[in-house]
């Protein structure tokens, strides 16, 4: 069973940048599409970005497009989320997720139900 671990969260001022990383541990990890989600207090978990494992196709939420960039290392670990021009509204716990090859990720890359594995989350706090 794949275990995902996020890192790179922290406290930054508005306008600053952070780079989150997601690495697999404890099991095999191959041909999995990857996604980043976030959850702020009192809100449901929302889609942030996703990337295909083989082809490198990317998807972004409208709220982060142009500011965040998702990338991966040679179709395997690690997966990154570069976050620039951060705003207080970006404050949330950020989660890494992986979709297995038998999922419908290619049809619904923004839906949480397409992801089988989730990390524990890393806190991102943006001060004004």
């Amino acid at each position: 069973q794949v275990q995902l671990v996020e890192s790179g969260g922290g406290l930054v001022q508005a306008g600053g940048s952070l780079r989150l990383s997601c690495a697999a541990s404890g099991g095999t990890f191959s041909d999995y599409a990857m996604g980043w989600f976030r959850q702020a207090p009192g809100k449901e978990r929302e889609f942030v970005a996703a990337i295909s494992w083989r082809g490198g196709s990317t998807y972004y939420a409208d709220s982060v497009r142009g500011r965040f960039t998702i990338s991966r290392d040679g179709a395997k670990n690690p997966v990154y989320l570069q976050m620039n021009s951060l705003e207080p509204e970006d404050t949330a716990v950020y989660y890494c997720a992986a979709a297995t090859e038998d999922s419908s990720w290619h049809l619904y890359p923004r839906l949480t139900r397409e992801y089988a594995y989730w990390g524990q989350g890393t806190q991102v706090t943006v001060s004004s």
Side-chain angles (χ1 to χ4, degrees):
Q1 182 176 8
V2 174
Q3 299 179 56
L4 304 178
V5 179
E6 305 95 337
S7 62
L11 173 64
V12 298
Q13 292 187 329
S17 299
L18 282 174
R19 190 192 195 197
L20 305 184
S21 298
C22 176
S25 63
T28 59
F29 187 81
S30 62
D31 198 32
Y32 287 2
M34 303 294 296
W36 286 96
F37 294 76
R38 67 187 183 186
Q39 188 167 21
K43 296 185 177 181
E44 294 185 352
R45 190 168 300 182
E46 67 173 346
F47 170 79
V48 175
I51 186 168
S52 62
W53 203 240
R54 293 178 176 175
S57 300
T58 58
Y59 304 84
Y60 295 95
D62 290 342
S63 59
V64 306
R65 187 176 292 109
R67 299 188 297 123
F68 292 8
T69 302
I70 188 171
S71 62
R72 71 189 192 282
D73 177 17
K76 61 179 182 180
N77 290 330
V79 177
Y80 305 104
L81 183 68
Q82 178 67 47
M83 305 186 295
N84 298 327
S85 301
L86 285 163
E87 300 292 341
E89 291 74 19
D90 296 315
T91 295
V93 176
Y94 283 70
Y95 298 89
C96 177
T100 58
E101 62 182 11
D102 62 338
S103 76
S104 299
W105 181 91
H106 63 291
L107 297 176
Y108 310 104
R110 298 174 174 84
L111 300 185
T112 58
R113 69 170 184 255
E114 299 301 327
Y115 297 85
Y117 301 103
W118 295 81
Q120 83 291 338
T122 184
Q123 177 70 49
V124 171
T125 302
V126 184
S127 62
S128 60

